[in-house]
């Protein structure tokens, strides 16, 4: 197999391009979903909120100003298939690129040095939260980037259910989380749900689930059906846009599943706000 080399500078260059854009330009699938929700909304206050969110996205894009004052932490996932090798210190260059992008674009710095022992701002919005993933796609290198606000992450949770809880238990866990936390996560939401793996791995499933665009269906019919069931249950809460009541509490629910222990049913719920800022870049 002929090896393909990806330079760490290529990864850094992608971040320098996409971070400022993510901060100011709402992904097209999210904007289209907001417009669709506004057009079918039956509650006046919710319709006004949705109209303001659409208008906000247009102003941000035109004036090149952030969609939200919370420009978030930076999550970076580098996916590497067979036949790919990386050249250079990738994640050191990631941090340099993140610091440069946030400084040059005058984005808010939101990272503290130590969650418990030293909550001094790092002043660079680094470190970025990075990971490798090895994928079974020969010759493929893919970069996933997300700017994640504190409000939506604070509304997220991990629940270790018993297997007997089953499908309904997962639905109940998601709806309970939404009822308790959605108002603080800037609805309408995009909700990533991870089911399976282990306690430490299931949150990653939920975050990766958020990367799938709203106009891209799940790869199998069973997951599609479950996502639709979850979305209906979430929207039936009536929390609505801005948590002021309405038809659309979530724009979409994305589910990712994995194997797990016979005695376990891990569930992670990762909230995404109405400014769901993420992009996938083929390298």
């Amino acid at each position: 197999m002929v090896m393909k080399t990806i330079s760490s500078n290529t990864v850094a260059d992608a971040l320098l391009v996409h971070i400022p854009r993510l901060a100011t330009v709402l992904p097209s699938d999210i904007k289209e979903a907001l417009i669709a929700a506004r057009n079918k909304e039956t509650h006046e206050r919710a319709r006004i909120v949705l109209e303001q969110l659409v208008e906000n996205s247009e102003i941000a894009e035109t004036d090149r100003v952030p969609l939200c004052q919370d420009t978030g932490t930076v999550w970076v996932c580098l996916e590497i298939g067979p036949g790919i090798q990386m050249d250079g210190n990738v994640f050191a260059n990631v941090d340099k690129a993140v610091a440069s992008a946030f400084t040059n674009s005058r984005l808010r710095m939101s990272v503290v040095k130590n969650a418990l022992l030293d909550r001094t701002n790092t002043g660079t919005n680094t470190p970025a939260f990075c990971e490798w993933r090895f994928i079974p796609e020969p010759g493929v290198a893919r970069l996933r980037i997300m700017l994640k606000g504190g409000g939506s992450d604070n509304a997220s949770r991990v629940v270790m259910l018993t297997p007997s809880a089953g499908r309904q238990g997962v639905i109940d866990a998601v709806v309970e989380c939404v009822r308790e936390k959605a108002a603080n996560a800037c609805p309408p939401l995009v909700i990533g749900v991870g089911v399976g793996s282990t306690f430490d791995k299931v949150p990653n499933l939920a975050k990766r689930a958020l990367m799938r665009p709203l106009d891209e269906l799940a790869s199998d019919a069973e997951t599609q059906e479950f996502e639709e069931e979850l979305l209906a249950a979430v929207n039936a809460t009536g929390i609505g846009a801005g948590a002021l009541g309405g038809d659309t509490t979530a724009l979409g629910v994305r589910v990712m599943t994995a194997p797990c222990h016979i005695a376990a049913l891990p569930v992670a719920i990762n909230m995404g706000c109405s400014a769901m800022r993420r992009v996938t870049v083929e390298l």
Side-chain angles (χ1 to χ4, degrees):
M1 178 183 295
V2 177
M3 298 295 289
K4 175 182 176 182
T5 300
I6 303 292
S7 169
S8 61
N9 291 330
T10 300
V11 175
D13 289 345
L15 288 164
L16 288 169
V17 169
H18 288 286
I19 286 174
R21 180 173 177 81
L22 280 176
T24 58
V25 180
L26 196 64
S28 59
D29 65 301
I30 304 297
K31 184 175 180 179
E32 289 168 9
L34 287 172
I35 292 170
R38 176 200 63 187
N39 292 343
K40 68 180 183 180
E41 181 59 58
T42 61
H43 293 66
E44 183 179 0
R45 284 185 299 181
R47 182 182 54 75
I48 292 170
V49 171
L50 290 163
E51 177 60 40
Q52 289 174 338
L53 289 171
V54 173
E55 182 182 8
N56 180 75
S57 72
E58 292 170 348
I59 292 171
E61 183 171 358
T62 299
D63 292 353
R64 288 289 188 250
V65 295
L67 288 153
C68 175
Q69 52 83 23
D70 185 352
T71 47
T73 56
V74 182
W75 178 72
V76 175
C77 180
L78 184 58
E79 298 181 343
I80 301 294
I84 297 291
Q85 62 182 5
M86 297 301 304
D87 178 32
N89 190 335
V90 178
F91 292 147
N93 276 4
V94 163
D95 278 349
K96 290 178 183 178
V98 168
S100 179
F102 270 71
T103 299
N104 294 341
S105 298
R106 298 182 178 179
L107 304 179
R108 195 185 83 179
M109 307 298 182
S110 301
V111 178
V112 299
K113 292 180 180 178
N114 185 293
L116 179 63
L117 302 176
D118 183 1
R119 294 191 66 88
T120 304
N121 198 300
T122 64
T124 59
N125 216 57
T126 63
F129 297 91
C130 304
E131 63 185 76
W132 293 92
R133 285 194 66 244
F134 295 101
I135 56 176
E137 301 176 52
V140 171
R142 186 180 294 127
L143 183 67
R144 300 192 187 274
I145 310 165
M146 184 185 300
L147 304 186
K148 198 68 163 63
S152 59
D153 250 15
N154 286 345
S156 304
R157 64 175 51 163
V158 174
V159 183
M160 300 301 288
L161 300 177
T162 60
S164 61
R167 182 188 186 102
Q168 189 59 49
V170 176
I171 295 172
D172 291 344
V174 172
V175 172
E176 180 183 10
C177 185
V178 168
R179 288 190 182 280
E180 293 181 9
K181 298 289 189 177
N184 297 322
C186 302
L189 311 166
V190 181
I191 304 174
V193 180
V195 184
S197 193
T198 57
F199 172 80
D200 59 314
K201 300 293 186 183
V202 70
N204 187 261
L205 292 177
K207 181 156 279 187
R208 285 164 51 202
L210 285 175
M211 292 300 303
R212 176 155 53 90
L214 295 179
D215 53 7
E216 182 181 319
L217 296 176
S219 58
D220 63 278
E222 286 182 307
T223 302
Q224 289 178 32
E225 180 186 354
F226 189 50
E227 289 177 347
E228 291 169 3
E229 186 176 359
L230 276 170
L231 181 60
V234 167
N235 285 336
T237 63
I239 292 168
L244 296 174
D247 302 320
T248 307
T249 302
L251 301 171
V253 178
R254 291 290 178 261
V255 176
M256 184 169 286
T257 61
C260 72
H261 192 282
I262 57 173
L265 182 56
V267 178
I269 303 142
N270 195 195
M271 298 289 192
C273 66
S274 55
M276 186 66 246
R277 297 158 294 186
R278 39 82 167 122
V279 68
T280 298
V281 183
E282 301 293 334
L283 299 175

